[in-house]
Amino acid sequence: MELKGTGVALITPFTADNQVDIPALERIVEYVIAGGVEFIVALGTTSEAPTLTKEEKQLVCNTIVRVNNKRVPLVIGIGGNNTQNVIDEIKHTQLDDFVAILSVTPYYNKPSQAGMYAHFAAIAQASPLPIILYNVPGRTGVSMTAETIVSLATNFSNITAVKEASGNLVFDMQLLKQLPAGFTFLSGDDGTTLPSVYMGGKGAISVIGIAYPAEFSQMVRLGLEGKVAEANQLHYGLLPKIGLAFKEGNPIGIKAILAAKGLCEPYVRLPLVEASAELKKEVAANVQF
């Protein structure tokens, strides 16, 4: 299965007493599916996965699987900076309801290109599902080169896609030019998604698409169809929302937007803190599309 179009990396909503807010998560899953997204990502960066317990991760996944009820494909985030721990988590996770694993470059350790290649090679050899590489240098402190991504794409048949979140369109072009046929480029940067689609990308794993699934997914579809004027209109309408979503960091901003739309509360877990009063005011004034 080729994942193309719009995927959304879901938040984990919390209650005032810092528990996972299951009714809010149910609402959000229904909302993004009704909005027309092509697939959903559970336990990505936007989910605050590092602050979830093993039991909470299972609860989040079970809820998404149950509410989705096989309507759209599901991807699960399993990554980290300890290769063996990632492999062990893959082996001990119930994966029957998922079509792929999204796995981030190893953060903090700052491995070389050879180290990142070896990390993903070991994961690919252990995984029963296709792997989506996740390159997000702004969070991890490392970036795979185009050559490393292409080598992994070429040498491992179950490494099938990349979520490229550098926001660097020149790098995106260099990568798109070299990728083998059948390998999928997905943008991980909402503001540059549409330009990357024009250059040959197949879609995105989006944050702003959680709050504006109909507009974002339609923008991507129009871009893939070459309907530039219509796609651009949606893109320029979404840009201010994207700015607000990332102004104080992710998922702080997107939770403030979702709260303004009545889908969840704006609570996040430490070390993140809730959106400022100033950002909430700005969001409230600009939440409508």
Side-chain angles (χ1 to χ4, degrees):
M1 173 184 295
E2 182 185 28
L3 293 170
K4 61 184 294 188
T6 296
V8 286
L10 292 187
I11 65 156
T12 302
F14 299 118
T15 61
D17 60 351
N18 204 29
Q19 302 300 305
V20 176
D21 188 339
I22 296 302
L25 183 55
E26 292 171 342
R27 282 195 298 275
I28 291 166
V29 173
E30 289 289 0
Y31 177 71
V32 297
I33 293 174
V37 304
E38 277 78 22
F39 62 101
I40 287 172
V41 179
L43 302 181
T45 300
T46 308
S47 75
E48 298 175 75
T51 69
L52 299 177
T53 66
K54 181 180 178 182
E55 292 74 22
E56 286 173 331
K57 287 182 180 180
Q58 190 62 60
L59 177 61
V60 166
C61 285
N62 289 348
T63 302
I64 293 169
V65 167
R66 171 175 55 79
V67 178
N68 177 55
N69 195 25
K70 302 184 185 299
R71 286 179 286 175
V72 300
L74 301 178
V75 174
I76 186 170
I78 304 178
N81 63 344
N82 181 323
T83 308
Q84 188 57 53
N85 281 358
V86 175
I87 291 169
D88 291 344
E89 187 173 352
I90 290 171
K91 288 180 177 178
H92 294 104
T93 299
Q94 172 57 257
L95 298 172
D96 290 351
D97 295 297
F98 298 92
V99 300
I101 291 168
L102 176 68
S103 199
V104 70
T105 49
Y107 42 84
Y108 191 71
N109 309 35
K110 299 196 81 170
S112 65
Q113 295 300 310
M116 285 186 276
Y117 180 95
H119 170 82
F120 283 116
I123 290 170
Q125 289 163 352
S127 176
L129 291 181
I131 301 293
I132 303 170
L133 306 172
Y134 181 15
N135 194 51
V136 56
R139 284 188 177 272
T140 62
V142 293
S143 182
M144 286 188 287
T145 62
E147 290 73 23
T148 298
I149 295 170
V150 170
S151 293
L152 288 164
T154 303
N155 294 330
F156 296 92
S157 60
N158 66 333
I159 296 180
T160 60
V162 62
K163 177 185 177 183
E164 210 301 291
S166 69
N168 183 336
L169 285 172
V170 174
F171 177 77
D172 291 352
M173 287 187 285
Q174 292 169 340
L175 179 56
L176 281 159
K177 182 180 178 182
Q178 299 178 59
L179 286 175
F183 190 84
T184 301
F185 178 105
L186 296 167
S187 175
D189 180 74
D190 286 338
T192 59
T193 289
L194 188 60
S196 76
V197 167
Y198 292 152
M199 295 184 299
K202 295 299 177 68
I205 295 176
S206 173
V207 174
I208 201 66
I210 311 169
Y212 302 96
E215 293 85 358
F216 194 93
S217 61
Q218 179 66 357
M219 177 195 76
V220 172
R221 282 190 290 269
L222 289 167
L224 290 169
E225 294 167 7
K227 296 178 179 176
V228 174
E230 299 98 317
N232 285 357
Q233 184 175 4
L234 288 168
H235 169 73
Y236 288 117
L238 285 163
L239 276 181
K241 320 295 187 190
I242 294 167
L244 292 175
F246 290 94
K247 190 171 186 178
E248 294 181 3
N250 179 44
I252 294 163
I254 193 65
K255 282 191 167 182
I257 296 171
L258 292 168
K261 292 174 79 72
L263 289 162
C264 69
E265 298 296 334
Y267 308 126
V268 293
R269 277 187 175 170
L270 290 170
L272 302 182
V273 293
E274 199 174 317
S276 66
E278 292 80 7
L279 180 58
K280 288 180 180 178
K281 183 177 180 181
E282 206 173 346
V283 164
N286 293 279
V287 70
Q288 296 303 321
F289 189 82

